[in-house]
Amino acid sequence: MKFFNKIFLVSGIAVMLTSCLGELDVQPEGTPTEASFWKTENDLITGANAMYKPLFNEEFYGRGLFWFINASDDMVTGRSRNEADNAKNFSSNYIAAGDLETQWNKRYNVIGVANRVIRNIDNIQTSVAVKNKYLGEALFMSSRMYFELASNYGNEKAGVPIIDRSKEPDPNPIPRAANVKVNYDYIVADLKKAAELLPSQAELPLTDYGRPHKAAAWALLAKVYLFMKDYQNAEYWANEVMTKGGRSLLPNFADVFKADNNYSTEYIWSVPGTPKFTAWGSILPGVMLENKGWGEYNGWGYFQPTRELFDEYEAGDLRRSVTILKPGDQFTFNGKPRTYQKDNSRTGYQFNKYMDAFKYDLKSGHVSANGDYPCTDLAVPIMRYAEVILIKAEALIMQGKNGDIEINMIRQRAGLAPKSNCKMADLKHERRCELAGEWADRHRDLVRWGDAQSAYAQPLHGATGEEVWAARNFNPAIHNVWAVPQVEIVNSNGVIKQNEGW
């Protein structure tokens, strides 16, 4: 959308995104200082836009933490890549190597910029409404980044560092929070304030679609409370989205993953992108495309569905064909009909959710002309309304209440008969079938449910039943969290400690 184009004009303020924890240690020549920069409404807009620039890096929401999601039983690494394979196998050999080493820093970079917005907003000469909007955005963006850090790296023994945003950057290393609950409490407080300040999506002009809005803050609150096992509050905030957020499920599941519906009623928060000019946004669609794109496009072929995921779907579930291409399926690629067959796929399957843009002629403008940055015009969902409904269903069931209405909302769209007296097994089934291959994070679900050890003790299979990934040894005492990047431990002179066992 148009507002994101401004991000690439902020080279001065974007230099802020350089230090270990996103807070500038040394001001490069020509970069504005806080005292000289944060004065006008345009300064505020420019500074706030800088929060979004890192999100378009290919290793942020294109692959990045998706290498951790890839640990689940829904998919395998389709091409040999040491750090990805080692992470999937819960081997410490992935530490200090490759793109996973940068994920911590990338998110603290965004937090650092958000902190600057929050710290300086009172200096801006503009209306209260404008200040509230951008303060709400900064609180939301900081919260989203802290949640991704805390949920992946934090546990009851240690959380992740919290930066004091009230003062100038501290050159000294910041130790980890005492535990992950400290992080979650901090996130909750910020999100509640963000929800008060942010406009609804309906109040945003079209040029601002893609920015955080009130329902996005409510939805993230629901998810954070779910991870905290505070099911009463998870239910409450999910219900706020469902009753006040102006959200509804699209009638056709496949339509969720079409660029025409980037900001539909099912939208909660996504990564906008464009295949035009230099191409930016999430490259996840191209990362999931068949390796080498049948000789017509540089698909990367990294995340491939398993037979276990395919078999999870019930007969008649409309979501299966939308989610997975299986051998013999008819589809359109580059403007031409094709029959799917195993080519460069390790499992013989391909994720189909992100394929809509590739059905057009590859020169039509829906797909980046540069296969080395294979993004499309789809705004890849980070969170969508169906997940909110399932969060409420899970929260209800975990409180001993009835979640049938919510689960059957999801099943009805999938073309399935309703269920009654749903249990957690029903919720887990629907969450897996609905959200497979998405940023909702199946791996993190298995961990928080206590199911990861048993799930990963089973090998994974391809379309013809062949074993494609051996059983893995998941030790909950160690592997419930990921290893803190070694570079952060080294740069902090040991102030930041490694998670036990890694």
Side-chain angles (χ1 to χ4, degrees), residues 76 304-308 311 327 342-349 458-470:
V76 301
Q304 296 168 354
T306 60
R307 180 65 180 263
E308 283 69 21
D311 288 345
K342 182 173 180 177
D343 188 351
N344 284 322
S345 172
R346 185 178 222 153
T347 66
Y349 297 117
Q458 305 300 317
L460 299 174
H461 299 85
T464 59
E466 74 282 17
E467 182 176 313
V468 295
W469 208 275

Side-chain angles (χ1 to χ4, degrees), residues 434-455:
E434 179 74 20
L435 301 169
E438 299 186 42
W439 278 93
D441 199 340
R442 163 77 174 169
H443 168 68
R444 194 52 47 198
D445 285 344
L446 290 172
V447 169
R448 65 186 180 84
W449 290 330
D451 294 342
Q453 186 173 27
S454 59

Side-chain angles (χ1 to χ4, degrees), residues 23-248:
E23 297 282 351
L24 196 62
D25 296 319
V26 179
Q27 287 279 0
E29 184 178 355
T31 300
T33 64
E34 292 201 15
S36 67
F37 180 78
W38 298 95
K39 292 183 177 181
T40 69
E41 182 176 313
N42 186 64
D43 291 344
L44 176 58
I45 294 171
T46 301
N49 280 349
M51 292 187 295
Y52 302 96
K53 186 175 185 292
L55 274 59
F56 305 132
N57 178 279
E58 68 183 52
E59 298 305 340
F60 205 106
Y61 283 131
R63 291 182 297 182
L65 287 182
F66 214 93
W67 293 123
F68 289 158
I69 297 174
N70 180 56
S72 86
D73 52 355
D74 280 357
M75 64 188 81
V76 301
T77 312
R79 296 166 57 189
S80 179
R81 186 180 177 93
N82 287 339
E83 91 235 44
D85 293 349
N86 286 326
K88 187 170 180 68
N89 289 328
F90 309 108
S91 164
S92 60
N93 288 332
Y94 90 81
I95 300 174
D99 300 314
L100 282 169
E101 189 76 355
T102 70
Q103 295 306 307
W104 174 292
N105 182 49
K106 279 177 165 51
R107 281 154 180 82
Y108 274 110
N109 282 341
V110 178
I111 291 169
V113 181
N115 283 350
R116 277 191 157 79
V117 173
I118 296 166
R119 186 165 55 245
N120 290 285
I121 201 161
D122 287 340
N123 301 327
I124 302 295
Q125 299 300 309
T126 187
S127 68
V128 172
V130 170
K131 285 185 179 182
N132 286 348
K133 178 177 182 292
Y134 288 107
L135 177 56
E137 285 189 24
L139 289 166
F140 176 89
M141 292 300 294
S142 173
S143 297
R144 180 72 214 187
M145 297 303 105
Y146 272 124
F147 174 68
E148 292 175 3
L149 289 162
S151 60
N152 279 290
Y153 300 108
N155 59 16
E156 71 283 356
K157 297 177 182 178
V160 297
I162 298 176
I163 301 170
D164 184 351
R165 61 168 63 123
S166 67
K167 58 186 181 182
E168 291 291 317
D170 186 344
N172 297 309
I174 302 171
R176 301 177 65 178
N179 53 61
V180 75
K181 185 179 183 301
V182 174
N183 293 125
Y184 287 151
D185 287 343
Y186 183 85
I187 294 167
V188 162
D190 273 1
L191 281 174
K192 287 180 177 178
K193 187 173 182 180
E196 293 174 359
L197 297 171
L198 286 168
S200 67
Q201 186 187 351
E203 293 174 303
L204 292 173
L206 291 177
T207 51
D208 275 3
Y209 276 19
R211 290 188 182 274
H213 51 88
K214 197 176 295 291
W218 292 339
L220 186 52
L221 265 168
K223 187 162 186 173
V224 174
Y225 275 122
L226 189 73
F227 275 55
M228 295 173 73
K229 301 187 187 303
D230 183 340
Y231 300 114
Q232 183 177 357
N233 273 309
E235 176 195 351
Y236 175 85
W237 290 106
N239 194 61
E240 288 291 279
V241 180
M242 294 177 69
T243 57
K244 301 176 183 177
R247 308 289 87 191
S248 62

Side-chain angles (χ1 to χ4, degrees), residues 264-284:
S264 71
T265 57
E266 193 148 347
Y267 160 75
I268 295 292
W269 197 60
S270 303
V271 181
T274 175
K276 299 178 180 179
F277 307 114
T278 55
W280 47 264
S282 174
I283 60 170
L284 190 61

